[in-house]
Amino acid sequence: MVSRAWRVVWPALLIAGAGLAGTGDAGEGEFGWTRSPDLTAYLLVVAAAAAALALRRLPAVTLAGCGAAVVAYLAAGYPVGPILVAVPVAAAGVAVAWPAGRSVPANVALGLAVYVAGGLRFGLPYSGVAGTWPLLVLLAVALPAAIGVNVRTRRDALADVHEANVLRVVADERTRMAHELHDAVGHGLAVIAMQAGVALHVLDRDPGKARESLEAIRATSRDALDGMRAELGLLRGEGDGPRRPAAGLAEAPVLLQRIRSGGLAVAADIWAGELPQEVDVAAYRILQEALTNVLRHADAGNARVRVARDGDDLLVEVHDDGRAAGAATGGSGITGMRTRAARAGGTLEAGPRPGGGFAVTARLPLEPPVERAP
């Protein structure tokens, strides 16, 4: 609050302090003035200071008020004095507040008005103090205006950078939510479709197995709906409510059970060590998407999952023996897995295996890279 008030009043205090303290001694050693500073001169100083109070909100008022006070002061025949401080204050203020296309003409008009007021009083040709008048006006207007334009340019550049960063963060968050929806809902639908097929196939001859598949459908659909509601709540800006904990490899046994219940044999070897959360989430989502792709596209009977520590990296491998695994390269599944791996600082490779089937291999660093000094 104090700093905000100071930004408003300091231009006025500068003009008032300099004007009230120095106007009485103005004119010593100067020629051309016809009227000693009196009450009117001080009132003009106060008027210029009052106009400067509007600099932040109404720079046009400051420009007009300061310019009019200085022109009236000079036209009245008072000696050149510290009231001229109002000129650079107004010039710099409008240059900061307005774009250059608007502030430059305004400052040119201000400079011409002050120049003409002084020139008419000093007469031509200029001599003595009057000989410095054009240079004095130029410095009083052009220099602060140039500084103001530079300040505004830098401020606008920083604002553009900030806006770009905000847009990038928003875009990254939307992409993350899109991946979450794709992984959670897409996997859920794939498992539901698989279990529904199993239930229809065994409904007449094995009601118990059909019941297991229906129960799996119910559990999977509930999880998928919960995940979708959570992400949609974030998308709608409902970020104050409780969020579902991030998925991790601790949920891998449930994932493998769902996949196996549909008839796909999955051999799994999953390392149970402590993991950074970003790596844990990325590893689980890559594993989930890779197995979902096996269900959707591979026409496979067997899959092998391996999650192991390899030096400073976590290795995630999913291999299958499907005949149509190449179809898994289509769509957004592989792209999403690569994006997740990249966000965790790792890499992902996916493609057909030389001996048949399809392979997904992700390598995720367990420690962030160390930045070396140049």
Side-chain angles (χ1 to χ4, degrees), residues 71-85:
V71 168
Y73 181 94
L74 294 173
Y78 296 117
V80 175
I83 191 175
L84 289 181
V85 173

Side-chain angles (χ1 to χ4, degrees), residues 294 313 319 361:
V294 174
D313 298 332
H319 297 172
T361 303

Side-chain angles (χ1 to χ4, degrees), residues 96-135:
V96 172
W98 295 343
R102 184 181 178 189
S103 67
V104 170
N107 277 326
V108 168
L110 174 64
L112 286 175
V114 175
Y115 173 76
V116 169
L120 290 176
R121 197 186 92 185
F122 293 131
L124 295 173
Y126 291 155
S127 60
V129 175
T132 67
W133 185 244
L135 179 60

Side-chain angles (χ1 to χ4, degrees), residues 10-236:
W10 79 260
L13 292 178
L14 177 63
I15 296 172
L20 296 177
T23 297
D25 297 330
E28 294 184 5
E30 177 186 333
F31 96 101
W33 55 275
T34 60
R35 185 176 177 183
S36 298
D38 54 14
L39 179 60
T40 302
Y42 287 103
L43 289 177
L44 289 172
V45 170
V46 173
L53 290 173
L55 184 59
R56 292 184 63 84
R57 292 185 176 273
L58 298 170
V61 172
T62 299
L63 181 72
C66 289
V70 172
V71 168
Y73 181 94
L74 294 173
Y78 296 117
V80 175
I83 191 175
L84 289 181
V85 173
V87 175
V89 168
V94 296
V96 172
W98 295 343
R102 184 181 178 189
S103 67
V104 170
N107 277 326
V108 168
L110 174 64
L112 286 175
V114 175
Y115 173 76
V116 169
L120 290 176
R121 197 186 92 185
F122 293 131
L124 295 173
Y126 291 155
S127 60
V129 175
T132 67
W133 185 244
L135 179 60
L136 181 62
V137 174
L138 182 64
L139 291 177
V141 177
L143 183 59
I147 295 173
V149 169
N150 182 64
V151 170
R152 179 181 175 86
T153 301
R154 289 175 58 85
R155 185 185 66 188
D156 289 348
L158 290 175
D160 290 342
V161 170
H162 176 71
E163 182 180 2
N165 287 335
V166 170
L167 292 176
R168 177 182 57 80
V169 170
V170 171
D172 288 347
E173 179 63 11
R174 287 180 174 174
T175 301
R176 184 200 66 77
M177 287 190 289
H179 287 157
E180 290 292 336
L181 286 172
H182 173 271
D183 292 346
V185 178
H187 166 75
L189 291 177
V191 172
I192 288 170
M194 176 192 66
Q195 294 287 3
V198 171
L200 288 173
H201 183 69
V202 301
L203 181 60
D204 294 330
R205 53 188 169 84
D206 192 349
K209 179 63 176 177
R211 181 182 180 84
E212 289 180 8
S213 295
L214 292 174
E215 290 176 348
I217 289 173
R218 181 177 62 180
T220 303
S221 61
R222 184 185 298 116
D223 289 346
L225 285 172
D226 288 344
M228 183 175 67
R229 289 193 188 100
E231 294 303 325
L232 290 178
L234 290 176
L235 190 61
R236 289 192 296 263

